[in-house]
Amino acid sequence: QVQLVESGGGLVQAGGSLRLSCAASGRTFSNYAMAWFRQAPGKERDFVAAISWSGGSTYYADSVKGRFTISRDNFKNTVYLQMNSMKFEDTAVYYCAGAPFRRPSQLRNEYDYWGQGTQVTVSS
């Protein structure tokens, strides 16, 4: 099993940047596809970005493409989400998710493990 802990959230002005981190415990992290989802108040949890176990393939929601970058460091058991040119509509709780021995997916139910979430607030 893997436990996921997000960090790096906070308050940022529109146009600014934040980098989220997701630290994973467990020795099989490198076998997991990883993803970031986000959930704004009153809305469903939406896909943001995903990355393959090797880091060689990445996928993004259209709303963040060109602004956000997902990456991973399997030696540090950590996945990152670099968020640039942030917009007010990026405000949400951001969740890290892991899918063992699977390809990256945009579907929530493909992920078995979830972090507790970190709040990101963008002021306009």
Side-chain angles (χ1 to χ4, degrees):
Q1 290 193 357
V2 169
Q3 290 186 324
L4 305 175
V5 179
E6 302 97 335
S7 62
L11 176 65
V12 63
Q13 287 188 334
S17 298
L18 276 178
R19 188 176 82 156
L20 304 182
S21 298
C22 173
S25 63
R27 292 179 292 178
T28 59
F29 174 78
S30 59
N31 294 324
Y32 283 56
M34 300 296 297
W36 289 95
F37 287 77
R38 66 186 181 186
Q39 187 167 19
K43 295 188 177 181
E44 293 189 350
R45 191 172 299 187
D46 292 331
F47 171 77
V48 175
I51 189 167
S52 61
W53 68 269
S54 68
S57 297
T58 56
Y59 307 87
Y60 297 94
D62 288 343
S63 59
V64 306
K65 203 170 293 183
R67 300 188 298 121
F68 290 10
T69 302
I70 188 171
S71 61
R72 67 189 296 162
D73 184 335
N74 287 342
F75 292 105
K76 295 183 178 179
N77 281 9
T78 302
V79 63
Y80 304 98
L81 184 68
Q82 178 66 45
M83 304 184 292
N84 298 329
S85 302
M86 297 188 71
K87 304 176 181 180
F88 175 75
E89 50 265 40
D90 294 324
T91 296
V93 177
Y94 283 70
Y95 296 91
C96 174
F101 303 100
R102 297 198 195 108
R103 294 179 179 180
S105 171
Q106 299 186 23
L107 302 176
R108 290 195 306 266
N109 60 8
E110 290 289 321
Y111 293 88
D112 296 330
Y113 301 102
W114 293 83
Q116 83 290 347
T118 185
Q119 177 69 47
V120 171
T121 303
V122 184
S123 61
S124 57

